[in-house]
Amino acid sequence: MPDHARAITSLPQYAELADGGEGHGFNAICPSHPRTLPLLKEIIAEVAELFPSRYFHAGMDEVNVGDCPRCRRRSRGRPRWWLYAQHLKAIHQAVAAAGKEMIVWADHVEHDPAMLKSLPRDLILAHWQYRAIRPEPIRRSLRAGFRVIGCPALCHSGDMIMPNRANFENMDAMAATLRRGARGGKVLGLVNTWWAPWRGLRDAYLPAAAYTAAMVRQAGPVRRGLHSWPACAGNSSASVAPPAG
Ligand SMILES: [Zn+2]
């Protein structure tokens, strides 16, 4: 929220809340429309009640807002990240009111790190990096005092059929990056993502899911051959400490 909001804005009663480019780019719900925040607060309260977890993942990835006349008027003269940060803080208040700690995807803070200084420090940043790992944005979030989760992928948009060598290297590199940053106690752990499972054979991913479990539980190299197809075999050079908490 406000990203990937077509499930809401495709309903006739909420169509006027649509923002972002239709047919290209990413869709969103307009953060500046007066009906948006009350609706999102209602959804957050309802979802928070259903799940016992202390955490609430609010999404907020791949947001494309700012072009509608209402948003343009509101953010005139502000940096491009301002609107996103304002909306994030409003959602954070709603999540806190529901008694949860908020997680968001970190692609927007990776892209516009200037906004980090304006965000609440109890926010948890989930850095999703599905190809080569870029440690610096993760380190920057840690230096700024945020807790982080690292999110590699069993597969992502370009992958088909089964996990490949690049997916395993991505998982290993993320685990190694998290382990190096874990000393300050702000690394909550690793969440592996299974991206677009309809592009692969479901059961072909299960050994890689087991590999993830071995990788995050064991503080030493994992024998990849036990968990993968021959093309991905080899020993992992990475390991990660068990997640705190
Ligand atoms: Zn708007």
Side-chain angles (χ1 to χ4, degrees), residues 19 30-31 68 71:
D19 202 341
C30 177
C68 86
C71 285

Side-chain angles (χ1 to χ4, degrees), residues 3-118:
D3 53 297
H4 300 295
R6 201 167 279 146
I8 298 174
T9 57
S10 61
L11 300 172
Q13 65 269 41
Y14 299 124
E16 63 167 343
L17 306 184
D19 202 341
E22 267 308 316
H24 61 89
F26 297 106
N27 64 91
I29 188 167
C30 177
S32 306
H33 195 289
R35 290 179 66 202
T36 294
L37 205 50
L39 174 66
L40 295 183
K41 283 179 176 173
E42 202 180 310
I43 293 170
I44 289 166
E46 194 176 321
V47 173
E49 209 177 300
L50 291 174
F51 295 95
S53 169
R54 63 190 273 197
Y55 303 113
F56 187 106
H57 198 316
M60 301 201 67
D61 60 313
E62 301 179 330
V63 178
N64 180 17
V65 291
D67 287 338
C68 86
R70 193 177 266 113
C71 285
R72 272 209 302 270
R73 268 198 308 278
R74 185 177 164 208
S75 61
R76 192 167 293 143
R78 306 281 192 176
R80 62 178 175 173
W81 50 263
W82 180 84
L83 198 60
Y84 177 90
Q86 290 302 108
H87 185 70
L88 188 153
K89 286 187 271 189
I91 295 295
H92 175 265
Q93 274 185 7
V95 171
K100 306 281 187 184
E101 296 174 62
M102 180 160 135
I103 304 171
V104 288
W105 292 120
D107 47 310
H108 281 262
V109 300
E110 285 194 12
H111 201 246
D112 287 307
M115 82 168 83
L116 277 171
K117 63 181 184 301
S118 73

